[in-house]
Amino acid sequence: MSSIATAERYHQPHAASVFRAGKMGIWWFLASEIMVFGGLIGSYLLFRWASAGAWSEMAHHVNIVIGSINTFVLLTSSLTMVMAHAAIEDENRGRARLYLGLTVLLGMMFMGFKAFEYAGEIAQGFTPLAGTFWSFYYLMTGLHGLHVLVGIIANFALWVMAVRGNLWPNVHQRVEYSGLYWHFVDVVWIFLFPLLYLSY
Amino acid sequence: MATWFPKNISTYGADIDAMFWLIFYIVGVGFIISEAVILYAIFRHRKRDGRRAAFLNGEKMSEFAWVLVPTAIVFVLDLGIDFAGSSAWHKVKGEAPPTDIHVIVTGKQFNWNFTYPGPDAKFGTDDDLTIENELHVPINKPVRLVIKSDDVIHSFFVPTLRLKQDAVPGREIPAWFEATATGEYEIACAELCGYGHYTMRGFLFVHSSEDYANWLAERWPTS
Amino acid sequence: MTAHAASEIMHEEKLSFWRKYVFSVDHKVIGKQYLFLSLFMALVGGALAYLLRWQIAWPETAVPGAGWIPEPTAFGGIIPPEFYNAIVTMHGTIMVFFVAMPLLLGALGNFLLPLMLGARDMAFPRLNMMSFWTIFLASLVLLSSFFVPQGAAAAGWTGYAPLSADATYSGVQWGQTLWILALALEFTSFLMGGINFLTTTITMRAPGMSMFRLPIMVWMQIIAAIVFMLSVGPLIAGAVMLLVDQTAGTGFFMPQRGGDPLLWQHLFWFFGHPEVYVVLLPGIGAILEIMPVFARKPIFGYRPIVYSTIVAAALSFIVWAHHMFISGMNFKLVMPFSITTILISVPFTIIVLAMIATLWKGALRFPSPMLFAVGTLAVFIIGGITGIFLGSAPADIFLHDTSFVVAHFHYTLFSSVIFGGFAGLYFWYPKMFGRMLNETLGKIHFWFTLIFFNLVFTPMFLVGLGGQMRRIYNPTQYDFLKPQQPINEFITIAAIILFLGQIPFIINFFWSMFKGRVAENNPWQANTLEWSAPSPPPHGNFLTAPAVYRGPYVYSAPEMQEDWAPQNQPA
Ligand code: HEA
Ligand code: HEA
Ligand code: CUA
Ligand SMILES: [Cu+2]
């Protein structure tokens, strides 16, 4: 039977050589993360449409200046992350250390600004209980902040390994994985920023 | 099985029941045919000495047509169910017929409150009257309801009317019905709403026109 | 790779007890851990079913054997309404999240995937181990909620807000919070598992194992994993919102604080409907592996089944509002959802008919795995077609939240999870434990389960048509339900026998593990790769790295002498 003949044809594995398991895993992980933030953003949008006036009034009280600075900080950190990855590929250990360190610092800067911003808002009485907009604001930025924190820790660990010199030769691809994650965190912020700060 | 449904006393109840029976006959046929084929195969296609299983892998279109043709039929029947359903749905949940009988139904743990606007036909005035767990309506007249909740989600369920509508806090959900038989019927809560969910029982009184007038006169004696 | 696998096997001897059986990274050990967890939870869920069935049949009488439950949870075996709601909630939660998923994906998926692919293990063995210990923790959290003040969660397995969001409504504070935590942990566990399933399937297939030579079980597992992954995200977000509503006082789902209760329902069902297919597909996958083996026939329409499954999986993302037809959502959006729901029967018709055609003109034998497989199919059809009634919005006005729904979803869930799960267990037990299950006990178990399952749940359709609501503590409160009470009693008696009917299985399961007939590598003469490994396979699975030369279902091909051709047999 001809169908058997086709079935007998020997296929080469297209597997291992094309995809690296680790990278694949990170992508699947990010796909599920996208759905978490997607659900959150979707809910936020539904509320926004439903309660036109009241929300934009509340949205006026977020701190656009700090928000913008933080956007800049996070974008820059994505850049340094890319540089770190490039340095790893070139096996330039000095530059890898430098850029990993910078990425960590920028991440911490972002968190610092964010904390300052929270403090200011809470001082004005805009706590998470001050209305649904604020509940969403704290939930979305808070969850994002947690992700930034995780990224900082991961990059810091890589930086320590880079300083000690044991990032090479076996685990240097972790910088790429961490980078993918870090860019994702950045992209989430790119969505949150206009939604929370610019849409009144 | 026809007797298993509670008696129907609403104008649209028959449409809902008809939907059920339409689907019942369609899927019933599908059910009997598919189970019958399974049974046939179980008994007739057992392993026997000297007989080899047929090598059918469905890769030839002529073979797979045995699946595709029934599937196409199912597809067409599905569309039929959808069309029939659409008109029934709009009849029940769509625009209510005009009427002068309006009642606000409020679910709260664990009672149904029915608010009548009184003679001035306006809610929010002094002559409003709220009755616990009793809904009084006249026969053969559309009744418009606004369904609300004070606390959690309840579901206003009158089996004989084939009427079910969730009561959601923060929303005012319209509903309507027209009863076709007088009598006393039970109202239930169909959505889990706490430990007293099962006690959230009320009564629907469908009166003849005269009785309803009397009831009104009793409740609002001054007018 | 061969050398590697061999060294791995030698290495195995040196592992400590803890590393070998408890914190093992071997996918087979992890799969068994999932199996034991799910069977234990099935016992708990079944016991809860017993309690709730007794209460429905003989309301407010002492449940035999429940006298030990301390006050104020129960009173000398008499269940109060608060506890009844907790029982229903925990029964549903346990059965769906702690039986169905760990059994079908955790146990069968973990055990089979690498073996069927011809891989040595999962792509991320340590992540795999973590996923098990995460669900283990989740189970502890969930079970512990029975013992906290005010008892376990009592807002239904769907946890509708605001009832679930504020303890003043439900009377349950801690239980409700622990319920959310347990679910969040469970979701995390299966996200980790899903990443592993997908990555393993894509990157670790044996040479020659193209996507369309995959055993269909693998397809079902990875489609289920993708569906889970893409649907659970919004509910994770929702769970966080519910958690802060409960504990911090925000109002995402509380109207008086500016929130919307229906948002929870949308988030829950956007996940909830795909979720029921997550626990359906692996069950279907299991019986599709079993049928060709005992029919000695190829699967009829392998590719159409795969395509139909993908279509059904995609459609499952746009039907969720069929759980909300009368929730007060925009009534004009209802019909579109009703249409997509009913159309989902099209891909399922293809799948079901293809299964039937696989039996057609086979050389059928009926050892217990096959009995359960055919039982799954026969029972699932009833579950599927009753879904059509519910999918029709006008019919659902009456049927929603009645026992009709309960009967529908037991016909679907029980078929895929319990029948399908048992089919899989009976089939792969020899591979898992190296011994055969006892056939006689298996047959007794099957007939008890089949007969009494139907006696429990067919009358439940009738009770539902009579109007009996779900989650009702005492149906005799209502006059219109009183005449049906004898049926409720009948159902309960049947349910008790159904439960007792599981005893032959429990005996068989443990007895055969030690005393059963030693299994050959390939006791069923099946084609897929797992049967070419030793029974049970050692750490590293295959003694020589397998290569694949053909599809998995070449049975009774006309030009062959034998009526089967293993995937790894050179042409
Ligand atoms: C494994 C689980 C599973 C599966 C597979 C299904 C499958 C389906 N379900 Fe079910 N469902 C649940 C589990 C499942 N369901 C659960 C748990 C609930 C309740 C949740 C709760 O509220 O607690 C529920 C509730 C539920 C509702 C909400 C009811 C309500 O609350 O009011 C609806 C409504 O549309 C529905 C519809 C369907 C449909 C159309 C299918 C379809 O996929 C079925 C398709 C299959 C077939 C159609 C059979 C094969 C075809 C043939 C044999 C050919 C003949 C067919 C025809 C002629 C049409 N289900
Ligand atoms: C997979 C899912 C599943 C399974 C298998 C079952 C099994 C059973 N269910 Fe359940 N049920 C649900 C999922 C499930 N249920 C869900 C989701 C709900 C909705 C909850 C809600 O409304 O919130 C529900 C609700 C529900 C209700 C409605 C309650 C109400 O609305 O008031 C009823 C009533 O009769 C019921 C009864 C039963 C019975 C009698 C069984 C019997 O079949 C049980 C038989 C016993 C077993 C199957 C266990 C056997 C044990 C083993 C096999 C272990 C062997 C162990 C070793 C080897 C160690 N269930
Ligand atoms: Cu009110 Cu249930
Ligand atoms: Cu559904």
Side-chain angles (χ1 to χ4, degrees):
Chain A
M1 193 155 214
S2 68
S3 62
I4 297 285
T6 20
E8 302 281 351
R9 220 184 298 134
Y10 187 85
H11 286 251
Q12 269 302 316
H14 33 103
S17 49
V18 185
F19 306 105
R20 241 184 299 129
K23 199 161 162 185
M24 180 112 258
I26 292 282
W27 277 112
W28 287 116
F29 168 66
L30 294 183
S32 48
E33 285 268 56
I34 287 174
M35 289 310 290
V36 177
F37 281 101
L40 208 50
I41 291 173
S43 308
Y44 171 83
L45 286 175
L46 284 177
F47 271 96
R48 244 211 106 108
W49 283 322
S51 64
W55 272 42
S56 46
E57 207 283 315
M58 287 191 261
H60 265 293
H61 299 282
V62 292
N63 195 328
I64 302 182
V65 179
I66 300 188
S68 311
I69 295 177
N70 254 347
T71 310
F72 180 73
V73 170
L74 214 53
L75 280 175
T76 314
S77 78
S78 256
L79 185 69
T80 55
M81 192 77 225
V82 173
M83 308 289 272
H85 182 218
I88 295 274
E89 298 279 284
D90 301 347
E91 293 210 26
N92 185 332
R93 296 172 188 217
R95 290 225 332 264
R97 276 199 295 268
L98 171 69
Y99 284 118
L100 273 175
L102 272 178
T103 313
V104 171
L105 279 182
L106 286 166
M108 279 160 51
M109 232 167 107
F110 177 90
M111 293 300 275
F113 277 125
K114 196 76 224 163
F116 179 73
E117 190 186 350
Y118 278 165
E121 279 146 0
I122 290 173
Q124 291 177 55
F126 299 122
T127 66
L129 303 185
T132 327
F133 171 80
W134 289 105
S135 305
F136 268 111
Y137 168 82
Y138 282 101
L139 189 64
M140 289 158 91
T141 55
L143 203 62
H144 175 261
L146 270 181
H147 281 76
V148 175
L149 196 65
V150 170
I152 291 175
I153 295 172
N155 283 335
F156 182 73
L158 291 173
W159 179 77
V160 171
M161 290 173 91
V163 170
R164 289 208 191 140
N166 51 7
L167 200 51
W168 294 270
N170 286 328
V171 292
H172 68 269
Q173 68 271 31
R174 284 190 195 167
V175 175
E176 187 185 357
Y177 306 156
S178 175
L180 282 172
Y181 173 79
W182 191 252
H183 297 320
F184 165 77
V185 172
D186 197 7
V187 169
V188 169
W189 180 257
I190 301 294
F191 276 93
L192 293 190
F193 178 62
L195 283 174
L196 291 171
Y197 291 81
L198 303 179
S199 66
Y200 47 84
Chain B
M1 208 199 253
T3 54
W4 280 105
F5 284 113
K7 184 175 128 199
N8 165 39
I9 60 150
S10 77
T11 46
Y12 52 57
D15 297 72
I16 290 178
D17 295 0
M19 244 354 266
F20 179 88
W21 290 112
L22 174 71
I23 300 171
F24 182 81
Y25 290 118
I26 291 178
V27 304
V29 171
F31 167 71
I32 290 174
I33 295 177
S34 46
E35 301 281 1
V37 176
I38 294 176
L39 280 178
Y40 183 87
I42 288 177
F43 288 109
R44 298 307 301 274
H45 298 154
R46 291 219 172 204
K47 185 177 176 67
R48 269 181 221 103
D49 283 339
R51 197 177 64 79
R52 220 175 142 108
F55 186 78
L56 303 168
N57 58 11
E59 275 166 26
K60 270 190 260 143
M61 206 50 196
S62 58
E63 288 170 9
F64 203 68
W66 284 97
V67 168
L68 283 186
V69 172
T71 306
I73 297 173
V74 167
F75 176 71
V76 173
L77 292 172
D78 280 354
L79 292 183
I81 295 174
D82 287 330
F83 274 112
S86 182
S87 57
W89 174 259
H90 282 95
K91 180 166 177 188
V92 181
K93 294 282 173 183
E95 196 54 40
T99 178
D100 52 358
I101 303 179
H102 295 262
V103 184
I104 295 179
V105 182
T106 312
K108 62 171 210 228
Q109 290 181 327
F110 297 99
N111 274 317
W112 290 110
N113 285 351
F114 299 98
T115 307
Y116 288 80
D120 67 353
K122 280 200 204 80
F123 288 107
T125 51
D126 283 345
D127 63 350
D128 286 9
L129 181 70
T130 298
I131 310 172
E132 263 190 13
N133 296 329
E134 284 187 19
L135 173 60
H136 293 263
V137 300
I139 189 174
N140 294 333
K141 270 197 139 186
V143 178
R144 281 205 196 201
L145 307 174
V146 172
I147 298 180
K148 302 203 281 191
S149 166
D150 275 354
D151 36 48
V152 299
I153 300 177
H154 304 273
S155 192
F156 182 70
F157 179 30
V158 191
T160 45
L161 291 176
R162 308 290 187 269
L163 170 60
K164 193 182 284 146
Q165 176 58 59
D166 283 6
V168 183
R171 284 179 191 235
E172 304 192 344
I173 302 167
W176 73 278
F177 67 89
E178 182 179 335
T180 57
T182 57
E184 183 190 328
Y185 306 97
E186 282 174 294
I187 297 172
C189 176
E191 183 65 63
L192 178 63
C193 53
Y195 62 86
H197 167 54
Y198 72 111
T199 61
M200 223 167 129
R201 173 178 181 231
F203 293 93
L204 166 70
F205 294 90
V206 181
H207 301 288
S208 64
S209 317
E210 307 85 74
D211 286 354
Y212 185 67
N214 290 340
W215 180 77
L216 284 181
E218 237 171 70
R219 292 290 158 151
W220 288 273
T222 46
S223 60
Chain C
M1 193 155 163
T2 321
H4 209 116
S7 78
E8 195 78 26
I9 293 164
M10 314 232 280
H11 194 71
E12 191 184 24
E13 309 305 322
K14 293 192 209 105
L15 290 177
S16 71
F17 171 82
W18 287 95
R19 288 286 307 285
K20 199 167 164 189
Y21 296 109
V22 185
F23 297 107
S24 169
V25 292
D26 182 347
H27 72 99
K28 298 179 294 298
V29 178
I30 296 172
K32 286 180 204 168
Q33 290 173 325
Y34 271 109
L35 177 64
F36 288 117
L37 177 74
S38 62
L39 291 178
F40 172 73
M41 292 306 261
L43 276 179
V44 178
L48 292 172
Y50 163 66
L51 294 181
L52 71 86
R53 266 325 311 177
W54 185 278
Q55 168 62 27
I56 293 178
W58 298 284
E60 296 170 63
T61 60
V63 187
W68 55 272
I69 302 176
E71 294 180 18
T73 307
F75 300 88
I78 297 180
I79 296 170
E82 302 86 294
F83 186 42
Y84 180 82
N85 292 345
I87 293 172
V88 175
T89 305
M90 294 297 271
H91 166 75
T93 307
I94 286 177
M95 287 298 197
V96 172
F97 295 114
F98 293 87
V99 177
M101 294 184 70
L103 179 63
L104 295 177
L105 293 122
L108 292 183
N110 253 314
F111 185 83
L112 292 172
L113 217 66
L115 281 168
M116 287 183 154
L117 296 171
R120 294 175 50 246
D121 205 318
M122 285 285 183
F124 311 112
R126 262 178 302 167
L127 186 69
N128 205 13
M129 175 182 84
M130 256 161 67
S131 80
F132 173 75
W133 288 106
T134 309
I135 194 179
F136 185 78
L137 184 65
S139 323
L140 290 186
V141 171
L142 191 75
L143 292 177
S144 72
S145 73
F146 276 116
F147 305 101
V148 297
Q150 301 153 328
W157 83 285
T158 51
Y160 276 13
L163 183 62
S164 59
D166 191 330
T168 53
Y169 293 140
S170 63
V172 181
Q173 172 79 53
W174 276 99
Q176 215 65 45
T177 305
L178 291 176
W179 178 79
I180 280 279
L181 283 178
L183 286 197
L185 285 169
E186 204 262 6
F187 295 160
T188 321
S189 159
F190 278 97
L191 279 177
M192 296 191 235
I195 290 172
N196 238 331
F197 283 23
L198 290 161
T199 310
T200 309
T201 308
I202 292 173
T203 63
M204 301 190 46
R205 279 168 287 141
M209 182 67 90
S210 62
M211 286 309 268
F212 281 107
R213 285 178 174 180
L214 288 178
I216 214 142
M217 179 66 157
V218 176
W219 272 110
M220 294 292 168
Q221 292 279 353
I222 61 172
I223 295 173
I226 292 179
V227 168
F228 180 77
M229 226 171 198
L230 297 184
S231 63
V232 78
L235 185 58
I236 293 182
V240 176
M241 294 188 225
L242 186 59
L243 190 68
V244 289
D245 270 10
Q246 281 172 7
T247 52
T250 53
F252 290 107
F253 306 120
M254 307 283 277
Q256 66 275 37
R257 293 186 222 141
D260 182 359
L262 288 197
L263 174 63
W264 169 262
Q265 296 186 22
H266 283 295
L267 295 174
F268 186 89
W269 290 119
F270 180 80
F271 162 76
H273 187 84
E275 165 70 7
V276 303
Y277 293 155
V278 170
V279 297
L280 171 72
L281 298 184
I284 300 271
I287 68 173
L288 274 169
E289 290 301 329
I290 295 167
M291 284 177 173
V293 174
F294 297 108
R296 307 317 282 171
K297 269 189 71 194
I299 286 185
F300 188 84
Y302 171 103
R303 284 182 190 230
I305 291 180
V306 172
Y307 294 139
S308 302
T309 309
I310 293 173
V311 169
L315 277 175
S316 77
F317 284 89
I318 51 166
V319 300
W320 78 88
H322 65 215
H323 297 273
M324 303 170 59
F325 284 154
I326 60 161
S327 66
M329 63 178 274
N330 186 337
F331 88 102
K332 287 189 182 136
L333 289 180
V334 161
M335 272 327 283
F337 278 104
S338 180
I339 291 170
T340 53
T341 300
I342 292 182
L343 285 182
I344 224 170
S345 65
V346 171
F348 275 109
T349 305
I350 297 187
I351 296 171
V352 164
L353 295 186
M355 286 198 257
I356 298 177
T358 303
L359 302 178
W360 191 252
K361 289 197 176 166
L364 300 177
R365 280 182 303 126
F366 288 96
S368 27
M370 184 63 163
L371 284 176
F372 274 101
V374 176
T376 308
L377 173 60
V379 167
F380 173 72
I381 289 175
I382 303 179
I385 58 174
T386 50
I388 306 296
F389 293 89
L390 302 170
S392 167
D396 190 55
I397 295 173
F398 183 72
L399 299 175
H400 176 68
D401 270 340
T402 62
S403 297
F404 190 92
V405 179
V406 179
H408 155 70
F409 68 68
H410 282 89
Y411 261 97
T412 47
L413 280 172
F414 200 99
S415 62
S416 75
V417 178
I418 306 292
F419 278 102
F422 279 140
L425 274 184
Y426 278 93
F427 187 60
W428 282 293
Y429 188 94
K431 189 53 63 186
M432 288 181 165
F433 298 102
R435 286 174 189 270
M436 306 296 287
L437 281 169
N438 179 294
E439 262 306 303
T440 316
L441 283 173
K443 293 220 162 83
I444 295 175
H445 176 215
F446 170 74
W447 287 110
F448 260 103
T449 308
L450 182 75
I451 293 171
F452 288 97
F453 166 76
N454 283 292
L455 289 182
V456 173
F457 292 103
T458 312
M460 216 180 269
F461 285 118
L462 291 184
V463 175
L465 292 184
Q468 180 171 317
M469 291 76 75
R470 295 171 68 173
R471 298 162 173 168
I472 275 285
Y473 169 67
N474 183 349
T476 61
Q477 287 280 314
Y478 289 92
D479 289 332
F480 77 103
L481 296 179
K482 271 185 193 145
Q484 308 199 106
Q485 201 52 20
I487 308 182
N488 279 330
E489 292 170 14
F490 176 85
I491 293 175
T492 299
I493 294 168
I496 292 172
I497 304 178
L498 172 64
F499 192 63
L500 296 178
Q502 307 308 310
I503 292 175
F505 171 72
I506 298 178
I507 297 173
N508 201 354
F509 186 86
F510 288 109
W511 185 82
S512 304
M513 205 177 284
F514 304 102
K515 294 275 159 66
R517 185 161 57 80
V518 174
E520 307 143 41
N521 287 354
N522 194 351
W524 317 116
Q525 304 194 318
N527 284 344
T528 41
L529 286 183
E530 76 272 25
W531 300 106
S532 66
S535 296
H539 198 163
N541 291 346
F542 297 96
L543 301 179
T544 51
V548 171
Y549 300 93
R550 60 177 65 73
Y553 307 111
V554 183
Y555 290 104
S556 304
E559 68 273 27
M560 296 188 321
Q561 268 297 306
E562 301 279 334
D563 67 355
W564 58 304
Q567 281 193 282
N568 60 337
Q569 187 182 80

